[in-house]
């Protein structure tokens, strides 16, 4: 079956530090890959996505590249801000028909000034 | 456009009681999903409606959970009777029914935090 594995948190960084949150997946075929973010007190928001191998998703300074050979979709940002503190979820979705999202456990990011 | 709205935002109930969660999807979205995150674990799929029909309910944990979507608009998720392990955050999401929609993520609500004591 499908599964997503994320690095354990919390990840604690100082402002302007470089961020990497690792995500690897197991899936049949070639799914679409997503990063969702949940800010404190808010719902899940789509941060970025990639629908095929070698695609790079990007938004708000965050990037992730769909790596088929390593089945990975690591999230990166060159310089984090305090406002980036949130829980980040990696997810996949099969590219056919009605398909549901399979999530990782989430990684909490805490950025201090 | 209004987003996905969930009520209540928080609920604390005693074991054995009944709780009903509500989700109002984005107007015109035929697909409605329920997901749940138990503390520290993955967000897991519960149920998928297409309009008023249950397309996939393979994630429903047991028969204490009942989801409905009368008229294909809002949906309710009832837990009766609630158990301690039902505590968690229940998310609702909706998406349009269109070709290629599986390539996109959904729009999620803010979730209902359920605590069973």
């Amino acid at each position: 079956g499908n599964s997503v594995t994320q690095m354990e948190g919390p990840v604690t960084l100082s402002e302007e530090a470089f961020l990497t949150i690792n995500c690897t997946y197991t899936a049949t075929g070639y799914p679409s890959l997503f990063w969702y973010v949940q800010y404190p007190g808010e719902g899940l928001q789509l941060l970025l996505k990639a629908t095929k191998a070698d695609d790079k998703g990007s938004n708000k300074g965050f990037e992730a590249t769909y790596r088929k050979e390593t089945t990975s979709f690591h999230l990166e940002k060159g310089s984090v801000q305090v406002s980036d503190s949130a829980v980040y979820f990696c997810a996949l979705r099969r590219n056919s028909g009605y398909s549901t999202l399979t999530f990782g456990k989430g990684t909490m990011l805490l950025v201090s000034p | 456009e209004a987003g996905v709205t969930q009520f209540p935002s928080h609920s604390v109930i005693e074991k054995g009681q009944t709780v009903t969660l509500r989700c109002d999807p984005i107007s015109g979205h035929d697909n409605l999903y329920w997901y749940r995150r138990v503390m520290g674990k993955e967000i897991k799929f519960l149920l998928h409606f297409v309009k008023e029909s249950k397309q996939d309910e393979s994630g429903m944990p047991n028969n204490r959970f009942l989801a409905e979507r009368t008229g294909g608009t809002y949906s309710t998720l009832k837990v009766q009777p609630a158990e301690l392990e039902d505590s968690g955050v229940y998310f609702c999401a909706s998406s349009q029914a269109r070709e290629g929609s599986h390539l996109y993520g959904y729009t999620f609500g803010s979730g209902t935090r359920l605590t069973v004591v």
Side-chain angles (χ1 to χ4, degrees):
Chain A
N2 298 335
S3 67
V4 175
T5 303
Q6 290 180 238
M7 60 189 291
E8 294 278 338
V11 173
T12 304
L13 296 173
S14 298
E15 206 164 24
E16 300 183 1
F18 184 85
L19 167 72
T20 300
I21 299 178
N22 290 337
C23 171
T24 58
Y25 67 90
T26 302
T28 54
Y30 303 108
S32 291
L33 301 175
F34 305 86
W35 276 99
Y36 280 85
V37 59
Q38 185 180 21
Y39 298 103
E42 298 184 16
L44 287 167
Q45 301 175 24
L46 178 63
L47 180 60
L48 54 84
K49 68 181 190 324
T51 58
K52 61 183 187 297
D54 300 324
D55 269 2
K56 177 185 284 187
S58 60
N59 186 26
K60 299 182 181 180
F62 290 89
E63 292 183 339
T65 301
Y66 190 140
R67 301 287 188 199
K68 186 179 69 173
E69 62 277 11
T70 55
T71 61
S72 65
F73 193 54
H74 304 321
L75 182 68
E76 296 182 336
K77 186 174 185 181
S79 176
V80 294
Q81 305 301 311
V82 173
S83 58
D84 293 327
S85 298
V87 182
Y88 293 81
F89 294 91
C90 186
L92 66 82
R93 188 176 183 188
R94 186 166 46 88
N95 282 338
S96 62
Y98 291 114
S99 58
T100 59
L101 285 166
T102 299
F103 286 90
K105 290 186 177 182
T107 303
M108 178 176 288
L109 171 64
L110 299 171
V111 181
S112 56
Chain B
E1 111 187 314
V4 176
T5 307
Q6 292 189 244
F7 305 98
S9 57
H10 293 84
S11 180
V12 180
I13 62 171
E14 293 184 351
K15 176 182 172 181
Q17 289 186 321
T18 298
V19 63
T20 300
L21 314 180
R22 172 168 169 151
C23 170
D24 286 72
I26 291 174
S27 179
H29 280 194
D30 288 340
N31 295 289
L32 187 149
Y33 306 83
W34 285 98
Y35 285 79
R36 175 176 74 169
R37 187 187 189 206
V38 172
M39 182 63 70
K41 297 193 176 181
E42 300 90 343
I43 300 172
K44 289 201 169 180
F45 166 76
L46 296 178
L47 177 80
H48 171 207
F49 284 99
V50 178
K51 297 185 180 179
E52 66 275 10
S53 299
K54 293 176 183 175
Q55 175 71 26
D56 183 352
E57 53 184 330
S58 61
M60 295 288 265
N62 52 60
N63 60 11
R64 295 186 294 102
F65 289 75
L66 174 64
E68 295 180 322
R69 193 183 182 194
T70 307
T73 55
Y74 71 90
S75 175
T76 58
L77 179 64
K78 180 190 288 187
V79 185
Q80 178 183 31
E83 298 290 344
L84 298 178
E85 64 265 24
D86 300 332
S87 296
V89 180
Y90 289 76
F91 291 103
C92 176
S94 71
S95 69
Q96 291 178 310
R98 65 176 190 271
E99 184 65 30
S101 63
H102 58 266
L103 297 176
Y104 299 88
Y106 322 140
T107 302
F108 278 86
S110 298
T112 294
R113 181 174 296 278
L114 174 65
T115 303
V116 182
V117 297

